[in-house]
Amino acid sequence: MLASTYDISGDIVKARAVLAKTKPTDGDGWYLNVMAFNAIASRQYQSATAVLKAQLEKPQTLRDAVGGTFLSLGDLQRHAGDVKAAARSYHQASAALQAALVSQPTNAELLSSLALTETWLGNQTAALSHARKAIEPRPSAKAAYTGPTFEETL
């Protein structure tokens, strides 16, 4: 949580130091997201890419976060300039997120991640559709804390 706070406040160096001291458990989605964000912000992609790839070799520990982890991997690869690898990761993210949505069709986090994934794949219509579905159950008017997060996807 502290690393995320540093990242958000713009202190990327302090966030990186906190992350370096942290020993996350396998499948720790929060850590993986913060680590990927920090790697992009600091333009140091290699170690974060390696960590995400290692986590994706153990999909059972990630559970429903497989799709989001592929999305983060694609983002790292895209920022690092490996557009072909990013496209492969985004396709894998899309497949994993769609599979997870079969049993959780109204899960706003999955829908929002799928919207972002479809955006990077160039599927604007699908991206907007998923973003709108993510907002429906919890718009800002009903969920002041979480609603704006999903509305940002639009």
Side-chain angles (χ1 to χ4, degrees):
M1 193 79 163
L2 182 58
S4 179
T5 302
Y6 283 137
D7 271 337
I8 292 168
S9 68
D11 199 337
I12 305 305
V13 174
K14 278 188 182 176
R16 193 160 193 78
V18 170
L19 289 167
K21 293 177 188 176
T22 304
K23 301 290 184 221
T25 58
D26 283 343
D28 184 343
W30 179 264
Y31 175 85
L32 296 175
N33 285 333
V34 173
M35 179 202 59
F37 177 87
N38 183 268
I40 291 168
S42 63
R43 296 183 177 149
Q44 296 182 17
Y45 314 109
Q46 193 171 10
S47 63
T49 298
V51 169
L52 292 179
K53 285 180 177 180
Q55 286 292 302
L56 287 163
E57 290 177 5
K58 303 175 250 179
Q60 70 281 3
T61 63
L62 292 168
R63 295 170 302 280
D64 288 339
V66 170
T69 304
F70 272 117
L71 173 59
S72 292
L73 178 59
D75 290 345
L76 284 166
Q77 292 165 327
R78 179 173 49 84
H79 282 275
D82 193 346
V83 178
K84 288 182 182 179
R88 284 191 300 273
S89 294
Y90 291 139
H91 280 288
Q92 290 173 297
S94 179
L97 291 163
Q98 288 178 33
L101 282 165
V102 169
S103 62
Q104 303 173 63
T106 60
N107 183 312
E109 290 177 11
L110 295 174
L111 287 162
S112 184
S113 291
L114 184 56
L116 292 170
T117 300
E118 294 295 347
T119 297
W120 292 116
L121 290 172
N123 304 328
Q124 294 175 345
T125 303
L128 287 171
S129 173
H130 295 307
R132 288 183 181 113
K133 287 179 187 173
I135 295 167
E136 284 175 12
R138 292 186 267 171
S140 294
K142 292 182 181 177
Y145 183 73
T146 58
T149 301
F150 301 113
E151 289 175 2
E152 286 178 2
T153 304
L154 279 175

